[in-house]
Amino acid sequence: MDIFNDFPIGLFFMQAFILLILIALMVKFAWKPILNSLNERETGIADALAAAEKAKKEMQNITADSERLLQEARAERESMIKDAREIKDKMLADAKDQAKAEGDKMLSNAQEAILSEKKAAVADIKNQVATLSVEIAEKVIKEQLANKDKQLQLVENMLGDIKLN
């Protein structure tokens, strides 16, 4: 029982009283600010979670929008490539048609030029043949007419030919 004899009851009550005053002061002056800061922190955390959730939803929307835009861009690119191919094919076909028409025109012009040259050559040959024939005939007639007997014989032959016809 020595423990109780050594235990100072006055000191115990004094310390208990100071503790109660300290608790009362803390409740009066510190408890509300502590609770308020805890509530503010809780609210801040809840707001941060809500903002994170909102950001997540916005990110999903942005991702969906970017996917949609990407799909639209791909479709537009494919359309442009298709249009470019069609234009290229049309241009090639037009160029081929134009080249064929030009070739046909050149061939036709060449054929006309050849035909014209051929006619001119034939006419020139006819003229040369006629000239040569006249020259040969002239030489033959001069030779035949140089002799009087041959002249008479020629005239008689011609008269004989006329009577036969």
Side-chain angles (χ1 to χ4, degrees), residues 58-102:
E58 286 179 9
M59 185 59 83
Q60 288 174 346
N61 289 339
I62 289 171
T63 303
D65 288 345
S66 66
E67 281 294 322
R68 181 182 49 80
L69 289 174
L70 185 61
Q71 291 295 340
E72 289 175 3
R74 285 180 181 153
E76 187 174 341
R77 181 192 69 191
E78 292 298 322
S79 174
M80 290 173 73
I81 289 172
K82 180 183 173 190
D83 291 345
R85 283 185 184 140
E86 289 174 358
I87 290 171
K88 177 195 79 163
D89 292 343
K90 186 180 183 303
M91 288 176 68
L92 285 175
D94 290 346
K96 284 180 183 178
D97 291 344
Q98 186 177 4
K100 186 176 184 317
E102 286 291 322

mmCIF file of all heavy atoms in Angstrom, residues 58-102:
data_model
loop_
_atom_site.group_PDB
_atom_site.id
_atom_site.type_symbol
_atom_site.label_atom_id
_atom_site.label_comp_id
_atom_site.label_asym_id
_atom_site.label_seq_id
_atom_site.Cartn_x
_atom_site.Cartn_y
_atom_site.Cartn_z
ATOM 1 N N GLU A 58 -14.331 12.991 -70.304
ATOM 2 C CA GLU A 58 -13.949 13.881 -71.391
ATOM 3 C C GLU A 58 -12.895 13.233 -72.278
ATOM 4 O O GLU A 58 -12.924 13.372 -73.500
ATOM 5 C CB GLU A 58 -13.430 15.209 -70.826
ATOM 6 C CG GLU A 58 -14.511 16.100 -70.270
ATOM 7 C CD GLU A 58 -13.962 17.404 -69.689
ATOM 8 O OE1 GLU A 58 -12.768 17.688 -69.880
ATOM 9 O OE2 GLU A 58 -14.741 18.128 -69.059
ATOM 10 N N MET A 59 -11.971 12.522 -71.653
ATOM 11 C CA MET A 59 -10.930 11.826 -72.415
ATOM 12 C C MET A 59 -11.557 10.757 -73.298
ATOM 13 O O MET A 59 -11.158 10.583 -74.454
ATOM 14 C CB MET A 59 -9.897 11.216 -71.470
ATOM 15 C CG MET A 59 -8.728 10.591 -72.186
ATOM 16 S SD MET A 59 -7.842 11.741 -73.217
ATOM 17 C CE MET A 59 -6.793 12.486 -72.005
ATOM 18 N N GLN A 60 -12.555 10.050 -72.757
ATOM 19 C CA GLN A 60 -13.243 9.049 -73.565
ATOM 20 C C GLN A 60 -13.968 9.724 -74.728
ATOM 21 O O GLN A 60 -13.957 9.219 -75.854
ATOM 22 C CB GLN A 60 -14.219 8.256 -72.702
ATOM 23 C CG GLN A 60 -13.554 7.289 -71.746
ATOM 24 C CD GLN A 60 -14.551 6.632 -70.798
ATOM 25 O OE1 GLN A 60 -15.695 7.071 -70.680
ATOM 26 N NE2 GLN A 60 -14.095 5.576 -70.113
ATOM 27 N N ASN A 61 -14.618 10.868 -74.444
ATOM 28 C CA ASN A 61 -15.309 11.598 -75.517
ATOM 29 C C ASN A 61 -14.315 12.088 -76.563
ATOM 30 O O ASN A 61 -14.563 11.993 -77.771
ATOM 31 C CB ASN A 61 -16.099 12.784 -74.947
ATOM 32 C CG ASN A 61 -17.308 12.343 -74.153
ATOM 33 O OD1 ASN A 61 -17.799 11.230 -74.319
ATOM 34 N ND2 ASN A 61 -17.791 13.200 -73.284
ATOM 35 N N ILE A 62 -13.190 12.617 -76.081
ATOM 36 C CA ILE A 62 -12.171 13.107 -77.010
ATOM 37 C C ILE A 62 -11.616 11.952 -77.831
ATOM 38 O O ILE A 62 -11.409 12.077 -79.045
ATOM 39 C CB ILE A 62 -11.048 13.842 -76.238
ATOM 40 C CG1 ILE A 62 -11.579 15.163 -75.705
ATOM 41 C CG2 ILE A 62 -9.833 14.053 -77.111
ATOM 42 C CD1 ILE A 62 -10.626 15.875 -74.753
ATOM 43 N N THR A 63 -11.406 10.823 -77.166
ATOM 44 C CA THR A 63 -10.908 9.650 -77.883
ATOM 45 C C THR A 63 -11.918 9.201 -78.933
ATOM 46 O O THR A 63 -11.551 8.903 -80.068
ATOM 47 C CB THR A 63 -10.619 8.502 -76.894
ATOM 48 O OG1 THR A 63 -9.693 8.966 -75.911
ATOM 49 C CG2 THR A 63 -10.054 7.293 -77.602
ATOM 50 N N ALA A 64 -13.193 9.188 -78.547
ATOM 51 C CA ALA A 64 -14.240 8.800 -79.503
ATOM 52 C C ALA A 64 -14.299 9.804 -80.651
ATOM 53 O O ALA A 64 -14.414 9.411 -81.825
ATOM 54 C CB ALA A 64 -15.587 8.700 -78.798
ATOM 55 N N ASP A 65 -14.207 11.107 -80.312
ATOM 56 C CA ASP A 65 -14.226 12.134 -81.355
ATOM 57 C C ASP A 65 -13.014 12.007 -82.274
ATOM 58 O O ASP A 65 -13.142 12.129 -83.498
ATOM 59 C CB ASP A 65 -14.252 13.540 -80.740
ATOM 60 C CG ASP A 65 -15.600 13.875 -80.109
ATOM 61 O OD1 ASP A 65 -16.590 13.156 -80.399
ATOM 62 O OD2 ASP A 65 -15.657 14.853 -79.329
ATOM 63 N N SER A 66 -11.861 11.762 -81.682
ATOM 64 C CA SER A 66 -10.660 11.630 -82.513
ATOM 65 C C SER A 66 -10.753 10.388 -83.394
ATOM 66 O O SER A 66 -10.330 10.418 -84.553
ATOM 67 C CB SER A 66 -9.397 11.599 -81.650
ATOM 68 O OG SER A 66 -9.373 10.444 -80.846
ATOM 69 N N GLU A 67 -11.315 9.318 -82.874
ATOM 70 C CA GLU A 67 -11.522 8.114 -83.688
ATOM 71 C C GLU A 67 -12.481 8.415 -84.839
ATOM 72 O O GLU A 67 -12.247 7.999 -85.977
ATOM 73 C CB GLU A 67 -12.073 6.961 -82.840
ATOM 74 C CG GLU A 67 -11.036 6.248 -82.013
ATOM 75 C CD GLU A 67 -10.025 5.513 -82.850
ATOM 76 O OE1 GLU A 67 -10.402 4.929 -83.887
ATOM 77 O OE2 GLU A 67 -8.836 5.547 -82.485
ATOM 78 N N ARG A 68 -13.559 9.131 -84.515
ATOM 79 C CA ARG A 68 -14.531 9.492 -85.549
ATOM 80 C C ARG A 68 -13.867 10.384 -86.602
ATOM 81 O O ARG A 68 -14.021 10.157 -87.807
ATOM 82 C CB ARG A 68 -15.721 10.211 -84.912
ATOM 83 C CG ARG A 68 -16.820 10.603 -85.908
ATOM 84 C CD ARG A 68 -17.960 11.365 -85.233
ATOM 85 N NE ARG A 68 -17.535 12.460 -84.397
ATOM 86 C CZ ARG A 68 -17.185 13.678 -84.851
ATOM 87 N NH1 ARG A 68 -17.199 13.920 -86.146
ATOM 88 N NH2 ARG A 68 -16.824 14.633 -84.019
ATOM 89 N N LEU A 69 -13.098 11.376 -86.146
ATOM 90 C CA LEU A 69 -12.406 12.258 -87.083
ATOM 91 C C LEU A 69 -11.393 11.480 -87.920
ATOM 92 O O LEU A 69 -11.236 11.737 -89.118
ATOM 93 C CB LEU A 69 -11.705 13.396 -86.333
ATOM 94 C CG LEU A 69 -12.617 14.458 -85.718
ATOM 95 C CD1 LEU A 69 -11.795 15.425 -84.880
ATOM 96 C CD2 LEU A 69 -13.380 15.195 -86.793
ATOM 97 N N LEU A 70 -10.726 10.542 -87.278
ATOM 98 C CA LEU A 70 -9.763 9.721 -88.002
ATOM 99 C C LEU A 70 -10.461 8.889 -89.075
ATOM 100 O O LEU A 70 -9.979 8.788 -90.204
ATOM 101 C CB LEU A 70 -9.007 8.824 -87.020
ATOM 102 C CG LEU A 70 -7.884 7.977 -87.591
ATOM 103 C CD1 LEU A 70 -6.799 8.858 -88.194
ATOM 104 C CD2 LEU A 70 -7.291 7.091 -86.506
ATOM 105 N N GLN A 71 -11.598 8.317 -88.718
ATOM 106 C CA GLN A 71 -12.371 7.537 -89.694
ATOM 107 C C GLN A 71 -12.838 8.430 -90.847
ATOM 108 O O GLN A 71 -12.776 8.033 -92.016
ATOM 109 C CB GLN A 71 -13.590 6.875 -89.013
ATOM 110 C CG GLN A 71 -13.238 5.771 -88.052
ATOM 111 C CD GLN A 71 -12.600 4.576 -88.734
ATOM 112 O OE1 GLN A 71 -12.723 4.376 -89.925
ATOM 113 N NE2 GLN A 71 -11.873 3.782 -87.966
ATOM 114 N N GLU A 72 -13.315 9.638 -90.496
ATOM 115 C CA GLU A 72 -13.754 10.565 -91.540
ATOM 116 C C GLU A 72 -12.584 10.954 -92.432
ATOM 117 O O GLU A 72 -12.721 11.031 -93.658
ATOM 118 C CB GLU A 72 -14.376 11.815 -90.915
ATOM 119 C CG GLU A 72 -15.730 11.576 -90.276
ATOM 120 C CD GLU A 72 -16.269 12.810 -89.557
ATOM 121 O OE1 GLU A 72 -15.621 13.874 -89.607
ATOM 122 O OE2 GLU A 72 -17.344 12.696 -88.948
ATOM 123 N N ALA A 73 -11.417 11.211 -91.826
ATOM 124 C CA ALA A 73 -10.235 11.579 -92.602
ATOM 125 C C ALA A 73 -9.825 10.429 -93.520
ATOM 126 O O ALA A 73 -9.467 10.643 -94.687
ATOM 127 C CB ALA A 73 -9.087 11.960 -91.676
ATOM 128 N N ARG A 74 -9.894 9.204 -93.006
ATOM 129 C CA ARG A 74 -9.556 8.046 -93.842
ATOM 130 C C ARG A 74 -10.533 7.917 -95.003
ATOM 131 O O ARG A 74 -10.132 7.650 -96.143
ATOM 132 C CB ARG A 74 -9.567 6.768 -93.009
ATOM 133 C CG ARG A 74 -8.374 6.625 -92.105
ATOM 134 C CD ARG A 74 -8.418 5.353 -91.290
ATOM 135 N NE ARG A 74 -7.266 5.257 -90.403
ATOM 136 C CZ ARG A 74 -7.252 4.613 -89.275
ATOM 137 N NH1 ARG A 74 -8.341 3.961 -88.873
ATOM 138 N NH2 ARG A 74 -6.166 4.582 -88.527
ATOM 139 N N ALA A 75 -11.825 8.090 -94.691
ATOM 140 C CA ALA A 75 -12.837 8.001 -95.751
ATOM 141 C C ALA A 75 -12.622 9.099 -96.795
ATOM 142 O O ALA A 75 -12.708 8.842 -98.006
ATOM 143 C CB ALA A 75 -14.241 8.099 -95.151
ATOM 144 N N GLU A 76 -12.320 10.296 -96.324
ATOM 145 C CA GLU A 76 -12.079 11.406 -97.258
ATOM 146 C C GLU A 76 -10.828 11.147 -98.091
ATOM 147 O O GLU A 76 -10.796 11.403 -99.299
ATOM 148 C CB GLU A 76 -11.923 12.715 -96.479
ATOM 149 C CG GLU A 76 -11.831 13.940 -97.361
ATOM 150 C CD GLU A 76 -11.825 15.225 -96.565
ATOM 151 O OE1 GLU A 76 -12.242 15.217 -95.395
ATOM 152 O OE2 GLU A 76 -11.395 16.232 -97.132
ATOM 153 N N ARG A 77 -9.793 10.611 -97.450
ATOM 154 C CA ARG A 77 -8.567 10.275 -98.173
ATOM 155 C C ARG A 77 -8.856 9.230 -99.250
ATOM 156 O O ARG A 77 -8.412 9.352 -100.389
ATOM 157 C CB ARG A 77 -7.509 9.761 -97.198
ATOM 158 C CG ARG A 77 -6.187 9.426 -97.893
ATOM 159 C CD ARG A 77 -5.261 8.676 -97.003
ATOM 160 N NE ARG A 77 -5.820 7.348 -96.782
ATOM 161 C CZ ARG A 77 -5.388 6.499 -95.896
ATOM 162 N NH1 ARG A 77 -4.409 6.819 -95.097
ATOM 163 N NH2 ARG A 77 -5.935 5.310 -95.770
ATOM 164 N N GLU A 78 -9.613 8.200 -98.876
ATOM 165 C CA GLU A 78 -9.961 7.160 -99.849
ATOM 166 C C GLU A 78 -10.767 7.744 -101.004
ATOM 167 O O GLU A 78 -10.566 7.389 -102.165
ATOM 168 C CB GLU A 78 -10.742 6.026 -99.166
ATOM 169 C CG GLU A 78 -9.914 5.208 -98.193
ATOM 170 C CD GLU A 78 -8.746 4.500 -98.859
ATOM 171 O OE1 GLU A 78 -8.901 4.029 -99.996
ATOM 172 O OE2 GLU A 78 -7.669 4.448 -98.242
ATOM 173 N N SER A 79 -11.691 8.639 -100.662
ATOM 174 C CA SER A 79 -12.492 9.290 -101.698
ATOM 175 C C SER A 79 -11.609 10.115 -102.627
ATOM 176 O O SER A 79 -11.774 10.074 -103.852
ATOM 177 C CB SER A 79 -13.552 10.178 -101.039
ATOM 178 O OG SER A 79 -14.247 10.914 -102.010
ATOM 179 N N MET A 80 -10.666 10.846 -102.052
ATOM 180 C CA MET A 80 -9.769 11.664 -102.868
ATOM 181 C C MET A 80 -8.882 10.790 -103.752
ATOM 182 O O MET A 80 -8.662 11.113 -104.928
ATOM 183 C CB MET A 80 -8.906 12.561 -101.967
ATOM 184 C CG MET A 80 -9.694 13.664 -101.280
ATOM 185 S SD MET A 80 -8.719 14.589 -100.081
ATOM 186 C CE MET A 80 -7.675 15.525 -101.159
ATOM 187 N N ILE A 81 -8.414 9.683 -103.207
ATOM 188 C CA ILE A 81 -7.585 8.768 -103.997
ATOM 189 C C ILE A 81 -8.410 8.171 -105.135
ATOM 190 O O ILE A 81 -7.946 8.073 -106.273
ATOM 191 C CB ILE A 81 -6.988 7.664 -103.096
ATOM 192 C CG1 ILE A 81 -5.915 8.259 -102.184
ATOM 193 C CG2 ILE A 81 -6.423 6.521 -103.919
ATOM 194 C CD1 ILE A 81 -5.394 7.305 -101.136
ATOM 195 N N LYS A 82 -9.659 7.806 -104.826
ATOM 196 C CA LYS A 82 -10.537 7.248 -105.852
ATOM 197 C C LYS A 82 -10.788 8.277 -106.952
ATOM 198 O O LYS A 82 -10.712 7.959 -108.138
ATOM 199 C CB LYS A 82 -11.862 6.805 -105.210
ATOM 200 C CG LYS A 82 -12.838 6.212 -106.187
ATOM 201 C CD LYS A 82 -14.149 5.864 -105.513
ATOM 202 C CE LYS A 82 -15.182 5.424 -106.531
ATOM 203 N NZ LYS A 82 -16.499 5.303 -105.947
ATOM 204 N N ASP A 83 -11.076 9.537 -106.536
ATOM 205 C CA ASP A 83 -11.300 10.598 -107.516
ATOM 206 C C ASP A 83 -10.054 10.827 -108.369
ATOM 207 O O ASP A 83 -10.145 11.009 -109.583
ATOM 208 C CB ASP A 83 -11.706 11.904 -106.814
ATOM 209 C CG ASP A 83 -13.088 11.828 -106.180
ATOM 210 O OD1 ASP A 83 -13.841 10.891 -106.519
ATOM 211 O OD2 ASP A 83 -13.403 12.700 -105.344
ATOM 212 N N ALA A 84 -8.893 10.818 -107.716
ATOM 213 C CA ALA A 84 -7.639 11.023 -108.451
ATOM 214 C C ALA A 84 -7.416 9.901 -109.455
ATOM 215 O O ALA A 84 -6.982 10.143 -110.588
ATOM 216 C CB ALA A 84 -6.470 11.113 -107.474
ATOM 217 N N ARG A 85 -7.730 8.670 -109.054
ATOM 218 C CA ARG A 85 -7.572 7.541 -109.987
ATOM 219 C C ARG A 85 -8.527 7.688 -111.173
ATOM 220 O O ARG A 85 -8.156 7.421 -112.314
ATOM 221 C CB ARG A 85 -7.838 6.230 -109.266
ATOM 222 C CG ARG A 85 -6.699 5.783 -108.399
ATOM 223 C CD ARG A 85 -6.955 4.416 -107.798
ATOM 224 N NE ARG A 85 -5.889 4.059 -106.885
ATOM 225 C CZ ARG A 85 -6.056 3.461 -105.740
ATOM 226 N NH1 ARG A 85 -7.270 3.106 -105.353
ATOM 227 N NH2 ARG A 85 -5.041 3.179 -104.964
ATOM 228 N N GLU A 86 -9.768 8.092 -110.876
ATOM 229 C CA GLU A 86 -10.737 8.268 -111.955
ATOM 230 C C GLU A 86 -10.285 9.370 -112.912
ATOM 231 O O GLU A 86 -10.381 9.217 -114.132
ATOM 232 C CB GLU A 86 -12.117 8.595 -111.370
ATOM 233 C CG GLU A 86 -12.782 7.418 -110.680
ATOM 234 C CD GLU A 86 -14.092 7.796 -109.989
ATOM 235 O OE1 GLU A 86 -14.462 8.988 -110.025
ATOM 236 O OE2 GLU A 86 -14.728 6.896 -109.423
ATOM 237 N N ILE A 87 -9.769 10.462 -112.345
ATOM 238 C CA ILE A 87 -9.290 11.571 -113.189
ATOM 239 C C ILE A 87 -8.105 11.098 -114.024
ATOM 240 O O ILE A 87 -8.014 11.396 -115.221
ATOM 241 C CB ILE A 87 -8.918 12.788 -112.311
ATOM 242 C CG1 ILE A 87 -10.195 13.413 -111.729
ATOM 243 C CG2 ILE A 87 -8.133 13.813 -113.098
ATOM 244 C CD1 ILE A 87 -9.935 14.477 -110.675
ATOM 245 N N LYS A 88 -7.195 10.335 -113.401
ATOM 246 C CA LYS A 88 -6.025 9.814 -114.130
ATOM 247 C C LYS A 88 -6.475 8.907 -115.268
ATOM 248 O O LYS A 88 -6.006 9.034 -116.394
ATOM 249 C CB LYS A 88 -5.110 9.060 -113.171
ATOM 250 C CG LYS A 88 -3.905 8.427 -113.862
ATOM 251 C CD LYS A 88 -3.223 7.419 -112.997
ATOM 252 C CE LYS A 88 -4.024 6.156 -113.048
ATOM 253 N NZ LYS A 88 -3.413 4.947 -112.629
ATOM 254 N N ASP A 89 -7.412 7.991 -114.961
ATOM 255 C CA ASP A 89 -7.898 7.075 -115.993
ATOM 256 C C ASP A 89 -8.574 7.834 -117.129
ATOM 257 O O ASP A 89 -8.387 7.503 -118.305
ATOM 258 C CB ASP A 89 -8.861 6.046 -115.382
ATOM 259 C CG ASP A 89 -8.157 5.077 -114.444
ATOM 260 O OD1 ASP A 89 -6.912 4.982 -114.518
ATOM 261 O OD2 ASP A 89 -8.851 4.419 -113.641
ATOM 262 N N LYS A 90 -9.364 8.852 -116.761
ATOM 263 C CA LYS A 90 -10.052 9.658 -117.785
ATOM 264 C C LYS A 90 -9.031 10.402 -118.637
ATOM 265 O O LYS A 90 -9.146 10.452 -119.863
ATOM 266 C CB LYS A 90 -11.015 10.645 -117.134
ATOM 267 C CG LYS A 90 -11.862 11.410 -118.130
ATOM 268 C CD LYS A 90 -12.803 12.369 -117.432
ATOM 269 C CE LYS A 90 -13.706 13.096 -118.387
ATOM 270 N NZ LYS A 90 -13.035 13.848 -119.401
ATOM 271 N N MET A 91 -8.016 10.969 -117.976
ATOM 272 C CA MET A 91 -6.992 11.699 -118.722
ATOM 273 C C MET A 91 -6.233 10.761 -119.661
ATOM 274 O O MET A 91 -5.948 11.130 -120.807
ATOM 275 C CB MET A 91 -6.024 12.391 -117.749
ATOM 276 C CG MET A 91 -6.626 13.580 -117.031
ATOM 277 S SD MET A 91 -5.524 14.310 -115.804
ATOM 278 C CE MET A 91 -4.253 15.001 -116.845
ATOM 279 N N LEU A 92 -5.919 9.555 -119.167
ATOM 280 C CA LEU A 92 -5.229 8.586 -120.021
ATOM 281 C C LEU A 92 -6.103 8.189 -121.207
ATOM 282 O O LEU A 92 -5.617 8.104 -122.344
ATOM 283 C CB LEU A 92 -4.835 7.351 -119.210
ATOM 284 C CG LEU A 92 -3.639 7.511 -118.275
ATOM 285 C CD1 LEU A 92 -3.442 6.253 -117.446
ATOM 286 C CD2 LEU A 92 -2.380 7.810 -119.064
ATOM 287 N N ALA A 93 -7.383 7.940 -120.932
ATOM 288 C CA ALA A 93 -8.290 7.561 -122.012
ATOM 289 C C ALA A 93 -8.422 8.706 -123.022
ATOM 290 O O ALA A 93 -8.387 8.472 -124.240
ATOM 291 C CB ALA A 93 -9.666 7.195 -121.441
ATOM 292 N N ASP A 94 -8.546 9.944 -122.513
ATOM 293 C CA ASP A 94 -8.643 11.099 -123.411
ATOM 294 C C ASP A 94 -7.370 11.249 -124.240
ATOM 295 O O ASP A 94 -7.420 11.523 -125.442
ATOM 296 C CB ASP A 94 -8.900 12.385 -122.619
ATOM 297 C CG ASP A 94 -10.302 12.435 -122.018
ATOM 298 O OD1 ASP A 94 -11.154 11.607 -122.435
ATOM 299 O OD2 ASP A 94 -10.547 13.299 -121.147
ATOM 300 N N ALA A 95 -6.222 11.061 -123.581
ATOM 301 C CA ALA A 95 -4.944 11.177 -124.291
ATOM 302 C C ALA A 95 -4.829 10.090 -125.361
ATOM 303 O O ALA A 95 -4.363 10.353 -126.480
ATOM 304 C CB ALA A 95 -3.786 11.092 -123.304
ATOM 305 N N LYS A 96 -5.261 8.864 -125.020
ATOM 306 C CA LYS A 96 -5.215 7.778 -125.996
ATOM 307 C C LYS A 96 -6.139 8.087 -127.181
ATOM 308 O O LYS A 96 -5.763 7.886 -128.340
ATOM 309 C CB LYS A 96 -5.631 6.452 -125.356
ATOM 310 C CG LYS A 96 -4.567 5.844 -124.487
ATOM 311 C CD LYS A 96 -5.049 4.533 -123.881
ATOM 312 C CE LYS A 96 -4.011 3.949 -122.933
ATOM 313 N NZ LYS A 96 -4.482 2.714 -122.306
ATOM 314 N N ASP A 97 -7.352 8.573 -126.865
ATOM 315 C CA ASP A 97 -8.298 8.909 -127.930
ATOM 316 C C ASP A 97 -7.739 10.015 -128.819
ATOM 317 O O ASP A 97 -7.830 9.944 -130.051
ATOM 318 C CB ASP A 97 -9.643 9.336 -127.344
ATOM 319 C CG ASP A 97 -10.385 8.186 -126.682
ATOM 320 O OD1 ASP A 97 -10.019 7.013 -126.944
ATOM 321 O OD2 ASP A 97 -11.338 8.448 -125.908
ATOM 322 N N GLN A 98 -7.162 11.030 -128.166
ATOM 323 C CA GLN A 98 -6.604 12.145 -128.930
ATOM 324 C C GLN A 98 -5.425 11.664 -129.786
ATOM 325 O O GLN A 98 -5.299 12.043 -130.947
ATOM 326 C CB GLN A 98 -6.159 13.259 -127.989
ATOM 327 C CG GLN A 98 -5.708 14.516 -128.701
ATOM 328 C CD GLN A 98 -5.351 15.629 -127.731
ATOM 329 O OE1 GLN A 98 -5.373 15.444 -126.528
ATOM 330 N NE2 GLN A 98 -5.015 16.779 -128.271
ATOM 331 N N ALA A 99 -4.562 10.826 -129.199
ATOM 332 C CA ALA A 99 -3.425 10.300 -129.952
ATOM 333 C C ALA A 99 -3.900 9.441 -131.121
ATOM 334 O O ALA A 99 -3.340 9.516 -132.226
ATOM 335 C CB ALA A 99 -2.518 9.494 -129.034
ATOM 336 N N LYS A 100 -4.938 8.640 -130.912
ATOM 337 C CA LYS A 100 -5.481 7.807 -131.987
ATOM 338 C C LYS A 100 -6.053 8.685 -133.082
ATOM 339 O O LYS A 100 -5.832 8.445 -134.271
ATOM 340 C CB LYS A 100 -6.545 6.864 -131.435
ATOM 341 C CG LYS A 100 -7.055 5.857 -132.450
ATOM 342 C CD LYS A 100 -8.034 4.904 -131.809
ATOM 343 C CE LYS A 100 -8.520 3.814 -132.707
ATOM 344 N NZ LYS A 100 -8.866 4.135 -134.041
ATOM 345 N N ALA A 101 -6.798 9.740 -132.672
ATOM 346 C CA ALA A 101 -7.374 10.647 -133.661
ATOM 347 C C ALA A 101 -6.266 11.351 -134.445
ATOM 348 O O ALA A 101 -6.343 11.470 -135.679
ATOM 349 C CB ALA A 101 -8.278 11.676 -132.974
ATOM 350 N N GLU A 102 -5.229 11.806 -133.743
ATOM 351 C CA GLU A 102 -4.108 12.463 -134.419
ATOM 352 C C GLU A 102 -3.407 11.475 -135.358
ATOM 353 O O GLU A 102 -3.047 11.829 -136.481
ATOM 354 C CB GLU A 102 -3.110 13.012 -133.389
ATOM 355 C CG GLU A 102 -3.575 14.249 -132.657
ATOM 356 C CD GLU A 102 -3.638 15.468 -133.556
ATOM 357 O OE1 GLU A 102 -2.760 15.620 -134.424
ATOM 358 O OE2 GLU A 102 -4.583 16.258 -133.386
#
